[in-house]
Amino acid sequence: MSKVPIKQAGFTILELMIATTVFSVVLLLCTYGIMHISRTFHKGLSSAATQEVTRSALDEIGQAIQFSGGPVMQIYNPATKIGVLCVNNQRYTYILDKQLISPQQNVMAVDNPASNCLGGLQDLATGTGFSGTPRELLSRRMRLTKLDIDDNYGGDTSLYKVTIKVIYGDDDLLDGTGGCIGNNFGGQFCASSELTTLVRKRVQ
């Protein structure tokens, strides 16, 4: 009986190298796509949370001005960056460019003093000087960078222009000009929101 030769087929080293290279490129593209989607998702969450907090603070101050009927007064100390905004019996005490680290800290707190709203700048770090328990308007890792009140907008003493800017993110994610570093690594964990509204006093 004659032996029937068995033909063996397989991949050469070159074919394996080419297949491995193609697979690596595909895997790299998939990884980059997943990372990009993740960055976009976290950027969206950061931006949405920052805008929500900014709008909430702006609406609260706007409604207080619109319906309180009391005087609107504001003082600010550039040396300490601490300011106080009084709207009738509502007092908003804030410190600019200070990140909120812990829930026990206050960066933009509101309370209701019994009298003498502008009697002194409150100690936001320890919570002293407040009437009762102050309510913090910002969320963790956020900071207030602007709070402007124009009480004579367009020459109308009953029309107020209120501008608030809030930034979310750590110090190393800021570009030094009041914004975020952009699309660099970690930029998805930084967001800024600046909103302006016009408020007319309804109650005198």
Side-chain angles (χ1 to χ4, degrees), residues 10-22:
F11 295 105
T12 65
I13 296 296
L14 180 60
E15 290 173 334
L16 288 176
M17 291 178 64
I18 294 175
T20 303
T21 302
V22 173

Side-chain angles (χ1 to χ4, degrees), residues 34-49:
I34 293 174
M35 291 177 61
H36 179 71
I37 293 174
S38 177
R39 284 198 299 268
T40 303
F41 175 74
H42 283 95
K43 184 68 175 179
L45 289 180
S46 302
S47 298

